[in-house]
């Protein structure tokens, strides 16, 4: 634990500013570690954390609306990260059981409350990006793109991100 915390701080000294975690990494324990490591340098870093609606649905009966469940999940992440806000809050997967409009509206509300500065989606299609962005502007799309996987060049994702300033 001590070595990992020192490593994350050293990474910042060397220029790393973005730290990416998720509520499902180590069942939340990764967020605790990231929060502890970054607390003294919080103003120098960007924290991105994700919620995964596949692993932990946001439509659980008796737990409130999807919007309420998204905020509740964020509140749990904020507590684990020991911070008052997250720079980027990302859907680890695009929810299949809730409309993108509902998701984007929830994120807009969290931005308005100051709990997040921006929002993002992972594994989103061009149509999903355009639909969600029309409700609340997206900051980041995290899709597979590498020397071996060039799909975003053909499926419209890069074009949409460029056009929308994502």
């Amino acid at each position: 634990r001590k070595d990992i915390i020192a490593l994350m701080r050293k990474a910042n000294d060397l220029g790393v500013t973005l730290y990416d975690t998720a509520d499902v990494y180590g069942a939340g324990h990764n967020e605790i570690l990231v929060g502890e490591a970054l607390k003294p340098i919080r103003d120098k870093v960007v924290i991105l954390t994700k919620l995964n609606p596949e692993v932990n649905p946001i439509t659980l009966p008796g737990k409130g609306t999807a919007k309420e469940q998204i905020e509740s999940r964020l509140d749990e992440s904020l507590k684990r990260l020991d911070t008052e806000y997250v720079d980027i809050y990302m859907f680890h997967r695009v929810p299949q059981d809730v409309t993108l409009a509902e998701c984007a509206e929830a994120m807009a509300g969290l931005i308005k409350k100051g709990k997040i500065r921006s929002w993002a989606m992972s594994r989103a299609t061009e149509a999903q990006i355009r639909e969600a962005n029309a409700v609340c502007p997206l900051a980041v799309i995290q899709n597979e793109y590498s020397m071996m996987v060039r799909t975003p060049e053909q499926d419209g994702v890069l074009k949409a991100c460029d056009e929308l300033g994502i």
Side-chain angles (χ1 to χ4, degrees):
R1 179 177 203 88
K2 187 174 124 184
D3 291 342
I4 294 300
I5 289 170
L7 179 65
M8 281 192 267
R9 290 182 187 159
K10 179 65 174 177
N12 182 254
D13 291 342
L14 295 171
V16 173
T17 58
L18 174 64
Y19 293 82
D20 180 333
T21 187
D23 63 0
V24 295
Y25 296 168
H29 293 287
N30 189 261
E31 286 181 325
I32 293 168
L33 182 62
V34 168
E36 185 178 337
L38 301 181
K39 188 166 183 69
I41 56 171
R42 179 65 183 101
D43 61 329
K44 298 178 184 176
V45 298
V46 173
I47 297 176
L48 180 155
T49 196
K50 304 177 198 83
L51 71 154
N52 190 320
E54 283 182 341
V55 175
N56 297 311
I58 54 174
T59 55
L60 296 172
K63 298 241 178 185
T65 65
K67 179 180 175 182
E68 291 167 339
Q69 290 185 50
I70 290 168
E71 186 167 8
S72 175
R73 294 271 294 279
L74 172 63
D75 289 342
E76 291 169 11
S77 288
L78 291 171
K79 186 175 182 178
R80 286 188 294 268
L81 288 162
D82 194 17
T83 187
E84 293 183 13
Y85 67 93
V86 169
D87 298 284
I88 306 167
Y89 197 39
M90 178 182 285
F91 280 101
H92 211 160
R93 304 288 184 271
V94 176
Q96 301 300 311
D97 54 351
V98 180
T99 69
L100 284 174
E102 280 182 272
C103 295
E105 287 168 6
M107 294 300 188
L110 296 173
I111 291 169
K112 188 174 182 178
K113 289 180 178 182
K115 291 184 176 188
I116 66 174
R117 292 197 168 157
S118 60
W119 78 290
M121 294 190 302
S122 181
R123 299 187 181 187
T125 66
E126 176 188 9
Q128 291 168 329
I129 293 166
R130 291 184 186 282
E131 180 183 345
N133 193 78
V135 177
C136 180
L138 285 151
V140 175
I141 295 297
Q142 185 183 65
N143 284 7
E144 186 175 6
Y145 182 55
S146 68
M147 291 176 65
M148 300 299 292
V149 178
R150 309 306 282 189
T151 311
E153 293 175 359
Q154 290 92 36
D155 66 8
V157 166
L158 283 181
K159 180 181 176 197
C161 288
D162 184 45
E163 287 175 13
L164 300 171
I166 300 170

